[in-house]
Amino acid sequence: MAILQEVGTAPRSRRSGSWGPSNPTVRYGLGRTLSALGTFLFVLVFNFFLFRVMPGDPIALYTRGRNVDPEQIAKLRAALNKPLGEQFLAYLSNPFTGNGPSVKYSAPVWDVILPRVWPTLLLVGTATILATTIGVWLGIRAGWNRGGKFDRRATSTTLVLYSMPEFWFGMIVLIVFAVGIGPFPGMFPIGGLSTPGVDTSSPAGWLDVAWHLVLPVTTLAVIYLAEYSLVMRASLIEETSQDYVRTARAKGLMDKMVRRRHAVPNALLPTMTLVFLNLGFVVGGAITIEKVFSINGLGSLTVDALTGPDVPLLQALFLLFSGAVIFANLVADLLYGYFDPRVRT
């Protein structure tokens, strides 16, 4: 009976400890999470000191173009001349406030940033979904039939698209399809996210927003799908030369089964990482696209803050963009470790 109890309890003890600190997956996830938190802490400290070593008089920025009493200026200088440690603690209590209101908009920085998040996420999210879907499909088809007619045409086209600057391609698209050339009239809106006076919360407003997004989303998607297609093609070509692919073919599996079950899942890993990294960067706003198509998102807000310069707003935007990049890196690392056991072991 004792032997049976030992035999019966052993598997349960292993299962109970399968998600403990000794598990490679748990150790990998905790390690990447702690690394991301450490990076974000470094960004917090760097963000605090960066804008305090910039040249210029911050009081002059706050009072520019305003009739401010000398007593109020003296109070502002006294507030800014607090000990550095006290300023740092106040900053850590709520770092997204930027330690002051926006100079240009005369409002708390988060109240200025929050309405600009949705247009950028809508633009970037839609473009990323389209670019990932089409780019991965192009890369798979081109890489699996390397050297074929489709591969030559797709690769040459994506190389041309990948080499084009976003702002230049956006202006060409805007001129051709919004302004019109010669006898061909413009079909799409010139800029903006919606028509003035349209209720964007109604179904008609949704269609109006979608119509305004056609050109900017197409511009972003075309540039990014070219990058994803090239990376996916190169990764798939590398996987087709591996031993496990030749073994699967030697077993008599159909060609499409070898591609779908063996080669493509492994080839997707580099592309998946690239997609998440790009997501982190473009959350900061596709600055050039937003300026070309007059979209009031985070990108255009960053340009406005730089022209000031609006230091409190820049400080909050810098922290927001850095946090988005760190979070996207963390998600990519965790998914990479989940799909590829070699990483976490």
Side-chain angles (χ1 to χ4, degrees):
M1 182 65 68
I3 296 176
L4 291 176
Q5 290 178 349
E6 291 177 1
V7 172
T9 56
R12 284 198 297 270
S13 64
R14 286 195 296 267
R15 286 196 298 268
S16 63
S18 60
W19 291 103
S22 60
N23 186 279
T25 304
V26 175
R27 288 203 309 270
Y28 175 80
L30 289 176
R32 302 314 302 171
T33 303
L34 291 176
S35 177
L37 291 176
T39 305
F40 187 72
L41 180 61
F42 170 78
V43 169
L44 278 177
V45 178
F46 182 76
N47 190 35
F48 173 78
F49 289 101
L50 174 65
F51 293 96
R52 280 163 175 76
V53 299
M54 293 178 62
D57 184 8
I59 300 299
L61 290 175
Y62 279 106
T63 60
R64 183 173 54 189
R66 305 175 184 177
N67 187 13
V68 183
D69 294 334
E71 295 181 0
Q72 187 175 357
I73 294 178
K75 291 181 180 180
L76 288 174
R77 291 196 181 278
L80 290 178
N81 289 332
K82 291 180 179 180
L84 196 61
E86 185 178 347
Q87 295 182 38
F88 186 63
L89 291 178
Y91 166 74
L92 288 180
S93 63
N94 195 353
F96 284 100
T97 61
N99 258 358
S102 169
V103 177
K104 181 175 182 179
Y105 297 95
S106 300
V109 291
W110 188 248
D111 293 344
V112 177
I113 293 174
L114 192 59
R116 302 292 191 100
V117 173
W118 171 245
T120 297
L121 289 181
L122 186 62
L123 169 65
V124 170
T126 308
T128 300
I129 293 174
L130 291 175
T132 304
T133 304
I134 300 174
V136 168
W137 177 79
L138 286 174
I140 291 174
R141 185 170 177 183
W144 193 253
N145 301 293
R146 181 183 183 185
K149 183 183 297 184
F150 182 86
D151 179 32
R152 293 195 299 271
R153 292 178 179 177
T155 303
S156 59
T157 302
T158 51
L159 282 173
V160 172
L161 294 176
Y162 183 61
S163 63
M164 291 190 304
E166 293 178 0
F167 72 91
W168 180 84
F169 184 63
M171 288 189 293
I172 296 298
V173 170
L174 188 65
I175 292 172
V176 174
F177 296 102
V179 178
I181 294 181
F184 302 100
M187 299 179 293
F188 294 94
I190 296 178
L193 197 61
S194 62
T195 303
V198 174
D199 182 13
T200 56
S201 61
S202 63
W206 301 341
L207 293 176
D208 183 71
V209 171
W211 189 246
H212 280 75
L213 282 174
V214 170
L215 294 185
V217 165
T218 301
T219 303
L220 267 183
V222 163
I223 299 298
Y224 280 107
L225 76 84
E227 183 179 7
Y228 299 154
S229 175
L230 293 172
V231 173
M232 187 66 197
R233 176 185 178 274
S235 181
L236 187 61
I237 290 175
E238 182 180 356
E239 292 298 326
T240 55
S241 62
Q242 300 297 321
D243 292 337
Y244 72 90
V245 175
R246 289 193 290 265
T247 302
R249 284 172 168 169
K251 289 181 178 180
L253 289 180
M254 297 177 60
D255 197 55
K256 63 179 181 179
M257 298 297 291
V258 176
R259 178 183 60 192
R260 182 165 59 90
R261 292 188 177 182
H262 296 278
V264 170
N266 288 310
L268 274 173
L269 295 176
T271 308
M272 179 189 68
T273 304
L274 181 63
V275 169
F276 276 96
L277 291 180
N278 283 338
L279 265 179
F281 285 108
V282 295
V283 163
I287 296 178
T288 55
I289 298 300
E290 290 184 2
K291 293 302 291 184
V292 168
F293 291 97
S294 303
I295 297 176
N296 292 324
L298 293 175
S300 58
L301 182 62
T302 303
V303 176
D304 294 340
L306 286 170
T307 55
D310 192 339
V311 176
L313 185 57
L314 282 174
Q315 187 173 356
L317 286 171
F318 178 83
L319 187 62
L320 176 64
F321 299 159
S322 302
V325 174
I326 293 171
F327 179 75
N329 273 274
L330 176 61
V331 174
D333 287 338
L334 294 179
L335 288 178
Y336 210 98
Y338 175 78
F339 286 111
D340 191 352
R342 296 171 297 180
V343 175
R344 61 176 181 264
T345 55

